[in-house]
């Protein structure tokens, strides 16, 4: 049975170390960040940083819209310059030295963040919204930031593979649904180009999207950098770049017999990499000729060199190792085969009864028998150190890999749609969401960046009696942030979910509510009614509780003019019952015959309050609320 003592490093580090063996150092010519590419949208009416990497001292020239701008690369290989504020339009061409970026637009850029409902692809919605498949809008664009989770360190760039797509029919299936509908809503309102950058990943907690500096109130989410650094030092391979060379002096190395299990040779306490070297004699007839190297099977990750030439790697247990030795590598007489085997669980194995040989046309040489060996690195360290360095349950990983690298790209607003994963920890969520907003505003250098929030929709089965609810408490936390953090707006969505699908399809209605917040905060309509009724306060009058609201707009009403539903009332015993609720002006009077001395009211307080129907005459639903502060 395999050991699980190294969950942090076992699979990922093995694959990484193997890949490093064959890595080719890229040219140091001008390199651009992943977002700066064909079809990008640049934010209008604001100075625009353009940045990248090149050889130290290299001059970089950016040409755009008839102007050019120059800078010189610093000693660390980084360069950056700033374009003056641009009027909207396009398409344009941008040249950066010999790189030509085409089809560039200038308009409004929005950053979307969250988990899987922020990623729901449009191809799931085509039957419900057939307009998706015939979309023909080249002036709206979408970029999905590739996944990158690095809790130990902030990254300088996003992972490769991201691409800007327009919303023409041949590209629209690359979009996510909410981003598609929101881009259309913005474009239809402004008639200007729109760019959506989506930095989202399904099944993620909010704390993964927040910098360590903003998680200090939650010590259990902080990465122990001292332990990580210590463990990284332990994982530094002493043999890298040296022990595969044919002239390396291995006279001090010990000898072992291969093939064998590590445990047979006393290596079961090695959680890392062991290097093996074997000298063989090759005939004149085989020298310089192509050959095949059979290295049996191994656990876990092997890398193999012949006379210092890398010939192959396999990153996991299972496949037979069969590598080509190129012509010109073998020499007459002494040759050196080098094997590096990495197994993070202490269960390394060079499997017996498999072929280990160098096969040439002229001869076949067995590789079984004596090999010299040395330990490259061993992470069988203090278990407490390993525990401290484990980052799997820490915060900031996605912030480091998917937000920090794009911090210089200018945006006009953000949309946050997340909370499902945190529903069981709603008591922390208001603080976490507030910290996320402050964090992103700081790193993007926009202290007043508008944030649009999507309140969790309805989900799970209806209940016939008032109950407490994790999702209701999470919605309350979202509501609290919308009330207390400036320059935010929230879309209430408990009527557009699906009881049996955590990924409801009606992202169009959500976009239609979000655009109201965008119009109010970004597009110059501060007096626009963008919210449904919000709980303000309560007072008890006899056996009734009178609830007052803000954001009443043109007045209160019920959806479809039906009796109000999903109001519950309780006395001091904290036992809620369904209540009768009647609109009187801009208040709602709540009562129940069995509650003679009421003390608290809750509205839409359920996982699935789809039947809750209080709204204003502007057509916007009241946000769920409670007047008590009782724990579960």
């Amino acid at each position: 049975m395999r050991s699980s003592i190294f969950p942090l490093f076992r699979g990922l580090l093995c694959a990484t170390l193997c890949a490093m063996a064959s890595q080719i150092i890229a040219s140091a010519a001008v390199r651009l960040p992943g977002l700066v590419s064909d079809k990008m949208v640049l934010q209008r009416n604001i100075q625009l940083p353009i940045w990248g990497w090149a050889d130290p001292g290299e001059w970089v020239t950016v040409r755009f819209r008839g102007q050019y701008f120059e800078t010189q690369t610093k000693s660390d290989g980084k360069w950056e310059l700033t374009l003056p504020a641009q009027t909207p339009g396009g398409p344009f061409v941008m040249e950066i030295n010999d790189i030509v970026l085409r089809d560039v637009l200038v308009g409004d850029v929005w950053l979307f963040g969250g988990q899987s409902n922020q990623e729901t692809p449009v191809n799931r919605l085509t039957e419900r919204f057939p307009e998706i498949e015939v979309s023909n809008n080249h002036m709206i664009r979408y970029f999905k930031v590739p996944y990158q989770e690095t809790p130990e360190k902030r990254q300088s760039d996003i992972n490769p593979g991201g691409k800007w797509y327009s919303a023409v029919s041949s590209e629209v299936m690359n979009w996510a649904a909410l981003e598609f509908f929101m881009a259309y809503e913005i474009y239809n309102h402004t008639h200007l180009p729109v760019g959506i950058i989506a930095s989202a990943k399904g099944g993620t907690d909010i704390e993964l999207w927040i910098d360590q500096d903003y998680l200090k109130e939650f010590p259990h989410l902080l990465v122990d950098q001292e332990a990580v650094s210590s463990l990284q030092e332990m994982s530094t391979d002493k043999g890298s770049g040296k022990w595969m060379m044919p002239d390396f002096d291995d006279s001090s190395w010990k000898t072992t017999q291969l093939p064998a299990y590590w445990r047979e040779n006393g290596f079961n306490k090695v959680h890392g990499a062991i290097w093996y070297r074997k000298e063989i004699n090759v005939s004149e007839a085989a020298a310089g000729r192509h050959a095949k190297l059979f290295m049996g099977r191994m656990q876990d990750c092997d890398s193999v060199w012949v006379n210092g030439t890398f010939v192959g790697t396999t990153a996991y247990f299972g496949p037979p190792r069969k590598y080509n030795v190129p012509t010109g590598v073998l020499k007459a007489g002494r040759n050196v085969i080098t094997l590096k085997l990495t197994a993070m669980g202490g269960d390394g194995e060079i499997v017996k009864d498999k072929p280990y040989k160098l096969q040439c046309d002229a001869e076949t040489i067995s590789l079984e028998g004596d090999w010299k060996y040395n330990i490259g690195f061993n992470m069988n360290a203090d278990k407490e150190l390993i525990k401290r360095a484990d980052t799997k349950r820490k915060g900031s990983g996605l912030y480091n890999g998917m937000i920090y690298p794009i911090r210089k790209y200018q945006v006009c607003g953000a949309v946050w749609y997340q909370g499902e994963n945190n529903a069981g920890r709603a008591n922390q969520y208001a603080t976490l969401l507030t910290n996320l907003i402050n964090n992103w505003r700081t790193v993007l250098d926009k202290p007043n960046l508008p944030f649009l929030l999507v309140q969790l929709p309805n989900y799970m089965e209806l209940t016939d009696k008032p109950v407490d609810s994790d999702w209701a408490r999470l919605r309350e936390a979202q509501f609290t942030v919308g009330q207390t953090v400036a320059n935010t707006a929230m879309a209430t969505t408990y009527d557009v979910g699906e009881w049996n699908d955590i990924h409801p399809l009606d992202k169009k209605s959500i976009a239609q509510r979000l655009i109201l917040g965008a119009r109010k905060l970004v597009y110059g309509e501060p007096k626009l009614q963008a919210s449904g009724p919000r709980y303000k306060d309560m007072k008890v009058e006899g056996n009734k509780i009178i609830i007052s609201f803000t954001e009443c707009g043109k007045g209160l009403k019920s959806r479809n003019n039906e009796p109000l539903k999903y109001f519950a009332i309780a006395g001091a015993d904290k036992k809620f019952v369904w209540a009768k609720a009647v609109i009187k002006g801009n208040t709602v009077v709540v009562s129940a015959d069995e509650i003679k001395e009421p003390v608290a009211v809750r509205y839409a307080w359920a996982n699935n309050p789809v039947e809750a129907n209080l709204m204003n005459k502007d057509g916007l639903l009241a946000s769920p609320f409670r007047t008590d502060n009782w724990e579960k």
Side-chain angles (χ1 to χ4, degrees), residues 35 118-119 142-147 158 161-165 174 176 179 196-201 402:
L35 275 169
Q118 196 73 286
E119 290 189 297
Y142 168 75
F143 187 100
K144 177 65 171 68
V145 177
Y147 297 153
I158 59 176
K163 184 178 179 181
W164 285 95
Y165 293 99
N174 295 290
E179 288 84 333
I196 304 288
I197 300 170
S199 193
K201 185 180 181 183
M402 297 174 68

Side-chain angles (χ1 to χ4, degrees), residues 87-107:
T87 56
F92 305 112
V93 172
M94 178 180 288
E95 298 178 44
I96 304 175
N97 283 13
D98 60 343
I99 300 172
V100 181
L101 305 180
R102 303 186 185 280
D103 201 4
V104 176
L105 301 179
V106 177

Side-chain angles (χ1 to χ4, degrees), residues 219-237:
H220 66 286
L221 297 175
L222 299 179
V223 174
D224 188 332
Q225 293 292 351
E226 180 182 356
V228 169
S229 296
S230 297
L231 212 56
Q232 286 175 341
E233 287 180 13
M234 294 175 61
S235 68
T236 300
D237 198 319

Side-chain angles (χ1 to χ4, degrees), residues 148-150 201 204 208-209 396-404:
Q148 182 174 216
E149 187 170 353
T150 57
K201 185 180 181 183
T204 55
L208 293 175
W209 298 98
S396 310
L398 296 174
Y399 169 84
N400 289 344
M402 297 174 68
I403 297 298
Y404 183 80

